[in-house]
Each structure stands twice: as structure tokens, then as C-alpha cells.
Amino acid sequence: MNEITHTYQAFRTLQTAESKPLVLFAAPALDIEEWVGVPQRRRLGDEETSGFQREEDPRRIRELTRFFGDRHNVTQNPLLAALQDPEKIVFEALEPDSPFGELKITYEDYSKVSMLKLLKRLVVRLEERVDSLNDSVVDQARVTRLLELESQRVDSENADESEDLNGDAASEYNGGDEGDAATVLLAEETRIVEFYTELKGRIKVLEHLGIEDIDAVQGFTKSALLGYLKPVVLVDGQHRLRGAVLSARSLAKTSQGKSNILDAVEGGLDPAEAERKVIRDLSRKLPVSLLMDESPSEHVFQFVVVNQKAIPMGKALLGTIVSTSLSRDELQQVAKRLQGAGIELEDSQAVAYLTRAEESPFRNLVQTGMGGDRPDLLKWSVLQGLVSIFRKLQGGRPYHAKVDYAKAWRDSYFPECGLVSGDSESERLEDWSRPDGPWREVFIRFYSKIRDYFGDPGDVDTLNGWGSTSESNLFNKISLTILACDYFDFIYTKGEPLASFEDFEASLDKWLMGGRVNASYFNRDWKLEGAKKDQLVVKHLWSQNWHEYRKVPSSAMPKKFKP
């Protein structure tokens, strides 16, 4: 094993007797880049990936590179980091009980570690985190599909090479059908099994083809995997680090930098080693605050607190990250602390599930805050509002009315609801509103019914399209809210306690008047002609039109939609 050890002067401190130590030190940016992992949040096709760092912002990196190009400029904020492999990080006090000492960080020359080994190491790390992971949970059909895809890719490359008289075949796989996998990791139980399958499948692919090393296999790159395998994980500061490294590399390309490289080569160093030495010498030393805690739950907790309290991020991305970066057990370790820090964890869990679950009518149709979101997807906050009506049983007031019918139903009929258990009202409400409580099944069935009855999921560009907010009269905040509020109005007015899911399904049919409500209600030109859907007068009119027509569907459908 080709290991490298760097030693830095450091100061260790404890903020409280109960907290893990913090080690404060400074290191050249180039060093940090070699031993720190940056788990980024990206997309793989239509699926979101895990990791808690946001994608790099090229604009911010350019600005920071210019900033660091001025050698007089100083950044006082330290990079925030934490342990990822505690066996590779050692603090040695200068004297017993002294806070001063040396921090030793050991890492490998990762250029000499094969892709196959990296995949296997990540599998082991997952198995250490979640006991239930083993070959029995692997989707063998998915493994077979990966083998087919990679075999087709290899055959195609071989064919291209045989036809190329100059022999200049492509040397690197660029992702194929899978797209850029970037960094994929560590989601809730159902997702972690899927990721585990993806890892095991790629191991099978390489073993089947007799390949030990490759830069990428079916979208998984070495650089992505190293984000989770290096001894230190970066919690905050990826743009500062990247900007500092690029600044040093730029300085090495100046005439003075090139001269220094030549001097180093004349002194006996290999050209590549000489270049690295000069870049390291030119790298500014960045301050680092290293939390001596290897727990993934603590890493995510620190990231959320920093980014929500100090540098707020969008609720969509924050919710996606919080709810999908940890296994179920790990999430529980920090749940109360996140809630104490003002993070609505359960709301995030509930919404994130609906954006990804196979059975959800909103799967892949909601903005998650990551790069690649379509602007016409439903906003995270809109889905969160719809969820709140069903989960909290409040907020069900039609735009044209004053009564909150979700709350009215809860007060009058929820005590008789057969979908929940518990003796007291608080116990029943707690059972109902769990992130995976009965409300979720009701919510999914309700909007699946709306989609299938009124919508056109096959063509998002139609007036009743399901999946794009740009043209649809149905798939938008106003209509989806109107329908939810009106349903609670119906079950309150009719005294429906929802004794079972069969009763709930029956209530949907009754609400739609046994099919007499015209399925083409939303598939017409409502002639807004410049008026905006979110205008108060529009919301009132749409709400009243639907409410009156749904009650008496034998009448003609309303023609006036523009106020």
C-alpha cells in the first residue's frame, strides 16, 4: 500500500465536556485536496444522488480563484471537516494534557488504487453502516442489466477501434446510458439498498469482464467514489478549497513558476513531482477546523446547521439532503437535534419520499434544488403545502371560503377514523401524521385518482397535462390545492369518518359523483390571456367554479375562468 503521511502543527479543544474534540490547524490547499473527500449532491439521469455538499458553482470558483490570486487577500473562515477514516487521523499532544500537538493525516496514493478495489471498499463501508446489507438484498435483474450495458459498451469500443486505421480508440468511458453518476450514496433504507445493488453490480461487471482498473464504469467514476473513501470529509468550504488550488496551479504556469519547476528538475526531481512540489509551495495555507467525529449523522447535522443558520440554502435542496443522506437509524440519532435547530425534519422526510417513491404521482415531477431541475416542475414548497393539508389536517380552506374544512373534519370525524390507532386524540394524531403514517397512503391515492381521472400523464404539454406547470390547468398549485380543500369539504359535509381504506376509495367516487363529474373539466382553454394563476381574484373564481360544478355536475361546465 502506497501511503503518504502529512504532519501539521495543531491545537485541540473541547467546546463542552460532552462534545467531540475540535482540532484546529492549517495546511496547503494542495495537501487538503489530496486527503479530503467532497461528497456532492448531483443527479444520475432522473434520479437524485446523495451526498450533502452542493454541486460546484463555476461562478463562485472563478471569483475565489481571482480572490486568492492576490497574495495579500486572506480568508478567515476555516474549512469545516470531520473524520471519515479515524484510523488514518492521529493527534499527538506535545505534552500530557497539552492542547498543542501534531496532527498526522495518512492517505494513499489513490492513483494506484484500482476501480475494483474502490468499489469493494465502499461496499464494505456500507455493510458496516447497515447490518442488513448483503447479497440477499441485491436486485439480480439490475446486476444482469448492468452486465449487458457494459458488454455492449465494450463491444462498441472494440468495433470502433478495429475500424480506426490510426488506432486512436477512446480511452475513457463518458457515462453511457447511465449519465454522470458523480457521487451516489447513503440514502434512506429503501434507497441505500438500491445503491448497494448498483455498487455490487459494477463489481460483477468488472469481474465478469476481467477488468481491474478503469476510470469509470456505467457512470461511476473514481473521483466520485473517493469523495466517500478519503480519511477526511469536507463539511463546508468546497468552493474556497477549489479556488485556492486553481489559484496555485495558475501561479505555477507563470514564468516564475515554470522557472521554479525547472530548478526542481535540475535538482533531481521527476518532472511531475517537481510540478507538484512547486504547486504545493505556492498553495496558500487554509485554516481547517476538524471535528474528531466519524459519524455520518453528525456530518450531515453540521452541514445542515451551517448552511441553514449561517448561509441559508433553498428548502428544496435542504429537505432533499436531510432526508436522503442517512439511513433510518442514523437519522434518528440527530432527529431531535435537527428539530431543536429549527429544521422541519419530518416535513422534509415526507416531501422527499413523495418526490422519489415509485407509487407517488409526483415522482420526479418536483424541484429538488439540485442542478438539472426543470423550471416547469412543481415547486418543493407547493408539494409541502399540499402535504401539510393531509398530514396535519389543517390548511384546507378553499380560496373562496372562510372555513378550514380539513380542520373541521379533524375536529368532528377524525376521532372515528379507522385508519389510525391510539386511545387519546394526541396518540391518534401522532399515528396519522408520522412521515409514513396513514395520511401518506391517503395522499398518494387521492392525487393518483386526480391524475388518472382528470389528467394526461402521457403528454405534459396538454391543457390537462400531468407533469409540467407551464400550460396545465390541472398540474399547478392552485388547482391541486382547490381539489384537496374541496375533498375535505365533501367528507366533512357528508360526515365521512373514513373507517377503512375501502371507505376512503368509496368516498372518492362519491366526491366525483359516481363519475358524473366531467373528466375533461381541466382539458379546456381557460383563456387567461395574461392573467396569472396565482392572482387572488383568479384563485377565488377557479375555486368557486369547481366547487359549484362538482356539487351539480349535471349543469354545464363553467365557461368563465378569466375574471
Side-chain angles (χ1 to χ4, degrees), residues 171-272:
S171 60
E172 182 174 334
Y173 176 51
N174 64 3
D177 294 337
E178 293 296 308
D180 177 15
T183 47
V184 187
L185 192 60
L186 312 181
E188 60 182 341
E189 304 297 307
T190 55
R191 301 276 295 176
I192 206 169
V193 170
E194 293 173 8
F195 178 67
Y196 184 77
T197 293
E198 298 296 318
L199 286 172
K200 297 282 279 190
R202 283 159 177 81
I203 290 173
K204 294 285 189 184
V205 164
L206 295 183
E207 291 178 338
H208 176 76
L209 297 176
I211 299 174
E212 175 73 20
D213 200 14
I214 191 172
D215 288 332
V217 53
Q218 286 300 305
F220 278 42
T221 65
K222 276 188 169 183
S223 60
L225 300 180
L226 286 175
Y228 304 95
L229 292 171
K230 290 184 178 182
V232 177
V233 61
L234 191 65
V235 175
D236 185 68
Q238 64 166 324
H239 290 95
R240 275 171 285 153
L241 174 60
R242 187 65 176 153
V245 170
L246 290 178
S247 176
R249 293 187 185 279
S250 296
L251 289 173
K253 294 178 182 178
T254 63
S255 57
Q256 183 60 54
K258 291 177 180 178
S259 176
N260 292 343
I261 293 173
L262 287 175
D263 290 343
V265 171
E266 290 175 359
L269 291 181
D270 174 87

Side-chain angles (χ1 to χ4, degrees), residues 41 278 539:
R41 185 95 191 163
V278 170
K539 292 191 288 187

Side-chain angles (χ1 to χ4, degrees), residues 469-470 473 476 478 526-542 561-563:
T469 61
S470 59
N473 296 326
N476 60 69
I478 311 307
W526 289 4
K527 301 185 183 299
L528 283 177
E529 298 173 358
K532 296 183 178 179
K533 298 173 184 175
D534 211 24
Q535 288 179 337
L536 188 60
V537 64
V538 172
K539 292 191 288 187
H540 282 195
L541 179 62
W542 283 16
F561 286 98
K562 179 185 174 183

Side-chain angles (χ1 to χ4, degrees), residues 1-6 34 105-110 276:
M1 183 180 296
N2 300 290
E3 290 193 332
I4 304 166
T5 299
H6 286 303
E34 291 179 346
I105 299 178
T106 300
Y107 63 98
E108 292 182 64
D109 180 355
Y110 295 111
R276 188 202 174 282

Side-chain angles (χ1 to χ4, degrees), residues 318-342:
L318 181 66
T320 304
I321 287 172
V322 169
S323 57
T324 62
S325 293
L326 300 171
S327 67
R328 192 180 304 276
D329 290 341
E330 289 167 337
L331 196 57
Q332 293 308 310
Q333 296 173 22
V334 292
K336 290 183 178 179
R337 292 169 62 199
L338 284 168
Q339 290 164 355

Side-chain angles (χ1 to χ4, degrees), residues 42-43 47 70 92 114 125 144 188 206 241 277 298 310 328 356 359 366 383 390 402 434 470 475 492 499 535:
R42 300 185 185 177
R43 282 188 183 278
E47 298 291 336
D70 186 335
E92 296 179 352
S114 70
R125 184 160 291 185
T144 300
E188 60 182 341
L206 295 183
L241 174 60
K277 179 183 181 302
E298 186 64 28
R328 192 180 304 276
R356 300 187 320 277
E359 69 272 21
V366 181
L383 184 58
F390 284 81
K402 296 181 179 180
R434 286 180 290 106
S470 59
F475 193 77
Y492 169 74
Q535 288 179 337

